[in-house]
Each structure stands twice: as C-alpha cells, then as structure tokens.
Amino acid sequence: MHNKAGIIIKNLFQTRDELSFRNIRTALWPVVLVFPVSVIMGNLRYYGHSIALGGFATNELMFFILGLSWLILSFTPKHLIIPVLKISVIVSAVLMTSLFFMPMGFFQFTLYMAFKFFSGLCAACAFYLFCFVLNNVERLAGMAVIQLYYGFYYTVWNILPYFHTSGNSWTEAAFMALLVVIVFLGRKPVTSETNTDSDGKGSGVFLVFGLDIVHYMIMCMSNYIEWAQSSVSSFAFGIGTAIAISIVLIMQLLKGRSALYIWLMFLVFTLLGLGALLLNTPAAVTSGSFIYGLGDSLGYIIICYMCAGAIKRSKSLRMFRFYCFVFFIQYFLISCIFSFYFNYFDEPNKFLAFAVVLILVSLCLLFMPFIQKRLFDADWTDGLYLRDMEGFTKPLEETEAINSREKLNLTPREQEIFTMLLKGTSPKEIAYTLKISYETVHHHQKNMYRKLGIQSIQELFAKYSKAAFLQIPGN
C-alpha cells in the first residue's frame, strides 16, 4: 500500500517542462524585457490620493482601471496589438511627465487614473508578446526580472523613507525611458507570422485560467492582511521574494521539474506564512512574513509562466483574448467583491483571511491528481521540433500515418522519438538534437513502449522495421 502511494505521488511530478539556458535567444532580450518593464513601470508610483468614488478608495479604483485596460485588448484585432502598444507607451510617457509637475488635486487624480489605464494597456499588449513570441525559459527570465525588482523594493527601498520618496519618481522615469527604448529601438518581433488560428481545444488552457483565478483570490486575502503595516515585515517579505527566484531557477532549470512543484510550494508556503502571522508575536511576524513572501513570489512567477505557456500551446488568439477577459473579471469584479466585504472591518481580520485561503488551498490539493492528469501530463516542451528539420519531415509524416491508422494515441513528442529511434538514433543523440534532457527522452520512450505494447528497442524494430521511412535514402 505504501509503495503504491509512493508511486502515485512520484508520478505527480514526472513531467518535465524542459527548460535550458541554451534556449535563451540573446537577440530577443528586448522582447523578454517588454512585459517586466511595463509591469514595474505601471506599479511604481502611487500618489497617495485620499479621493474616493462610489465608496472605493484610490488603490481600489486602480484595479478597476487596470481591468478595463485588459478588457480593451480582448477586442483588439491581432494586427493592431503592436501599434496599440506603441501608442500606449507614448501616452503613458506624456501623462507621467505631466504628473511630475501637477499639484495634488482632483485633476491630478484624473490624470493619474488615465496613466494607470494606458500603463495597463502597455502591460496587456506586452503580455501578447510574452505568450506568443517567447519560449518557456525566456518567460521565466522575464518573471525573474520582475521579482528581482520587488525583492530589492521590499528589502532596501521600502525601509529607507527618504530614498523611497524620491526614488519612486526617478525610478519610474528611468523605467519609462527604458520601455520607450525597448519598444521603439529594440528588435521588432515578427508577430504576424505567429500561428494563432487554433481553437485551443485540448490545451488545458481553461484549467490554467481557473488556477489563475484561485491564485488571484488567495492574493486578495493575503494583500488584505498586508494593509495593516504592522502585520507584515517588509524586509522579511522581500528576503522571501528574492529566495523564491533561486528556488524557481533550481527546480525548473537545473532539476528540470514540473511547474506543479512550484505551484504546490506556493500553496503550502502561503498557507504556512499566513498561519504564522496569526500569532502576532515578533518572531511569528518575521518568520511568517518570510514564508509568505516566498509563497507570494513563487505563485506570481509560476502562474504567469503557466498562463503564457498554456496560451502558447493552444496556438489560439481567442484563448489570449479570453485570458484578457479573465483578467478583467479578476481586477474589476473579484476585487470589487473583496473590497466591499473588507469595508465591514475596522482592521484586517487575519482569521477570516486565513480561513478563506485554507479552503482554497484544500480544494487545490484535493483536485491535484485531476490537475496533473489534465494539465501537467501534457508536453510543455517549448524547444525544437522534428517537423522543422528537413531530414525528418517525410519520416515523421509516415509515423503520423501509422499513429492514425493503428490508433496508437502517441503524443507529438512520442511520435518524434518513435521516428528517430527507428532511424537508428540513440536516446542521447535524440536529446541533443531536440535540445531536451536524456531523462525526458527516457520518460517519453517508456510511455511510447507502453502504448505500443512492447518493452524494448528490439521489439520496436521487430514490429515496425518495415515502415516506409526506413527505406528513405541516406537512412
């Protein structure tokens, strides 16, 4: 019984997302930075307005404005996304410059909300490039940039009041200038040739969006506790944020583990961190803030990584637009509901927040086997494909015909390995050619053997050695 349970748990983490530093394309660094810089720039400056509309404070109204900006993009035609990005950058730069010299008041408040709208539109357009132009490891690098900034912000910037006050303005100006340079002087990504015509079925994208909603609800409750300045240690939170980057790089890049690892860490660390904060002792606040910061950063990195990866795998512009709509629902509707109920309490109710997070985490853990089967069993590899290699085009077509004729249900990656093995390519050579790890090749090879009802390479040759592609000259 124990062995069976151990096998089930081990199988949850078998899938590799297949990341490698060598898959980073240095020529695309400007594209890698567009989304991180737009996010950082849009979140840097808060003017401290006490103006409230409809019972909602300024910080709550910002969420509504950001949601509206993403809703606009959900209706924007594909060929206009890049022009909209450029226009939004220009308008954001003009508004930000005006805000530097504008006295506090309702007019400045109005300009500030306009700035939040256009900076949100910048981030939404940049997320399109983040999804369809970049590969997995480049996306991970982009998310690391965002968390590096926040780690610095909480550990250094936020604890130095004078530096914090002046730094917000000048740093925002620097990031705004960097965004202008990246968008107008950086390499232009060829987005028109990106395949986005699929219907997105079977990609697991809806399940990822569901996890994104769960993540957002957990963050709403966590941020609710943060509203009381004494509830969370900013420095300890920042240390946790910085360490989270190292954990992601080790687990994803060096160990080649599934994104499911990071998702589970986010759930567990967030729950433990909020639980520790309930005690409200100096030691509990410090340790809880550190663990909470660790979970918060892991969750933000991995949910953006998974959403973008799922949209890329779906090859569907409709799925990207649907995500923009989900983003709108989160920021406009869910934030509104949470803000409405928060107003009933004079100060953050930690026990209520912890109870809501506990329920959400428990539901995620309960459905983890289903999530694994429907989402993480899929091939998340974002590297090279056999179809793009001239010498393997015809053999792969023959493999696809065999797969369809005999109803073998081989995945695209298993079909590639099937083809290369029958051409006499060793597993190590396959790993090198496709830029994936040997362990990943072995994993797909084992699944392929199970579907074919065989146990060795010898049986594979005996069963399929007369396949037409073996007769191709040069084989």
Side-chain angles (χ1 to χ4, degrees):
M1 177 66 74
H2 290 293
N3 289 336
K4 185 176 181 180
I7 292 174
I8 293 175
I9 294 174
K10 182 179 179 181
N11 287 339
L12 285 176
F13 304 101
Q14 259 189 336
T15 303
R16 283 9 182 220
D17 292 357
E18 207 48 62
L19 300 170
S20 172
F21 282 113
R22 61 187 174 183
N23 287 340
I24 295 179
R25 296 164 291 182
T26 54
L28 285 183
W29 269 114
V31 184
V32 173
L33 291 175
V34 168
F35 180 63
V37 172
S38 62
V39 169
I40 294 171
M41 183 271 297
N43 286 277
L44 263 173
R45 192 178 178 103
Y46 176 63
Y47 284 80
H49 288 282
S50 58
I51 297 174
L53 295 175
F56 294 102
T58 302
N59 62 321
E60 296 167 342
L61 292 172
M62 288 191 304
F63 289 120
F64 303 160
I65 295 297
L66 285 172
L68 284 174
S69 64
W70 282 71
L71 180 64
I72 295 295
L73 201 66
S74 66
F75 297 103
T76 303
K78 178 180 176 180
H79 68 280
L80 292 180
I81 292 178
I82 301 303
V84 168
L85 172 62
K86 294 179 178 180
I87 293 172
S88 299
V89 169
I90 294 173
V91 175
S92 296
V94 172
L95 289 172
M96 190 196 71
T97 304
S98 302
L99 288 168
F100 274 116
F101 307 100
M102 192 71 59
M104 186 75 74
F106 187 79
F107 186 63
Q108 190 208 44
F109 170 79
T110 304
L111 288 182
Y112 177 60
M113 287 301 166
F115 169 73
K116 296 302 294 186
F117 174 81
F118 283 101
S119 63
L121 203 53
C122 288
C125 294
F127 192 73
Y128 169 81
L129 301 177
F130 189 73
C131 292
F132 290 113
V133 176
L134 303 181
N135 61 34
N136 285 338
V137 69
E138 290 163 350
R139 295 187 198 102
L140 213 56
M143 295 309 302
V145 170
I146 296 177
Q147 291 306 309
L148 278 172
Y149 161 75
Y150 283 118
F152 173 77
Y153 177 87
Y154 285 109
T155 54
V156 179
W157 202 337
N158 208 36
I159 61 175
L160 300 174
Y162 296 106
F163 181 66
H164 176 80
T165 303
S166 61
N168 251 348
S169 298
W170 292 111
T171 305
E172 184 179 42
F175 274 101
M176 187 73 253
L178 178 59
L179 185 60
V180 170
V181 170
I182 290 172
V183 171
F184 289 95
L185 300 180
R187 173 176 171 175
K188 307 299 187 296
V190 185
T191 56
S192 59
E193 297 179 2
T194 303
N195 181 11
T196 58
D197 298 327
S198 172
D199 58 10
K201 292 181 179 179
S203 61
V205 67
F206 290 111
L207 184 54
V208 177
F209 292 171
L211 295 181
D212 186 46
I213 293 174
V214 170
H215 170 265
Y216 186 76
M217 294 175 69
I218 291 176
M219 289 300 98
C220 281
M221 300 311 299
S222 302
N223 292 334
Y224 171 49
I225 291 179
E226 255 188 294
W227 289 356
Q229 295 298 318
S230 60
S231 296
V232 177
S233 167
S234 175
F235 184 79
F237 181 91
I239 294 295
T241 297
I243 292 179
I245 300 173
S246 300
I247 291 177
V248 171
L249 293 179
I250 291 172
M251 299 301 295
Q252 296 288 105
L253 284 166
L254 301 182
K255 295 295 183 180
R257 299 300 180 182
S258 168
L260 185 61
Y261 269 102
I262 311 300
W263 174 253
L264 283 176
M265 287 182 184
F266 152 67
L267 296 175
V268 173
F269 286 146
T270 301
L271 188 63
L272 290 178
L274 296 182
L277 291 174
L278 293 177
L279 302 177
N280 204 30
T281 64
V285 169
T286 300
S287 60
S289 299
F290 170 75
I291 299 172
Y292 162 45
L294 196 60
D296 180 271
S297 184
L298 290 173
Y300 184 63
I301 291 173
I302 211 61
I303 200 64
C304 289
Y305 168 80
M306 290 194 299
C307 285
I311 292 171
K312 175 74 172 288
R313 285 173 55 222
S314 74
K315 299 179 180 179
S316 172
L317 185 62
R318 286 192 297 174
M319 291 299 102
F320 171 76
R321 288 174 173 162
F322 184 72
Y323 177 78
C324 292
F325 182 75
V326 169
F327 194 95
F328 163 74
I329 293 296
Q330 290 178 163
Y331 273 67
F332 200 90
L333 183 60
I334 296 178
S335 291
C336 178
I337 293 173
F338 275 103
S339 297
F340 177 78
Y341 282 103
F342 291 164
N343 290 333
Y344 279 97
F345 301 94
D346 294 329
E347 61 182 24
N349 189 318
K350 298 180 182 179
F351 290 96
L352 173 63
F354 180 78
V356 173
V357 173
L358 177 61
I359 292 172
L360 292 172
V361 170
S362 299
L363 288 174
C364 285
L365 295 177
L366 180 64
F367 288 100
M368 194 57 66
F370 172 79
I371 295 173
Q372 162 67 18
K373 182 178 180 181
R374 295 293 183 182
L375 182 60
F376 292 99
D377 272 345
D379 183 9
W380 279 67
T381 303
D382 198 9
L384 296 178
Y385 293 91
L386 210 58
R387 185 175 300 281
D388 300 326
M389 304 177 192
E390 185 177 351
F392 288 97
T393 302
K394 291 184 179 179
L396 186 59
E397 289 176 355
E398 175 63 22
T399 297
E400 290 171 344
I402 294 174
N403 184 52
S404 177
R405 183 172 60 250
E406 300 188 16
K407 298 180 179 180
L408 301 176
N409 296 319
L410 298 178
T411 66
R413 188 61 88 185
E414 288 167 359
Q415 292 179 46
E416 292 178 337
I417 293 174
F418 178 97
T419 302
M420 298 185 79
L421 286 174
L422 282 177
K423 282 179 68 69
T425 312
S426 70
K428 288 186 177 181
E429 291 174 319
I430 294 174
Y432 179 80
T433 301
L434 298 178
K435 292 189 181 298
I436 60 179
S437 68
Y438 173 80
E439 289 76 14
T440 300
V441 174
H442 179 69
H443 171 71
H444 289 303
Q445 187 178 1
K446 185 169 61 174
N447 287 341
M448 182 187 69
Y449 283 177
R450 175 176 53 79
K451 293 177 181 180
L452 298 178
I454 60 177
Q455 296 182 348
S456 67
I457 186 68
Q458 290 77 16
E459 291 184 57
L460 179 69
F461 275 108
K463 195 170 183 178
Y464 294 100
S465 60
K466 295 182 180 180
F469 61 76
L470 288 179
Q471 310 304 320
I472 293 177
N475 183 47

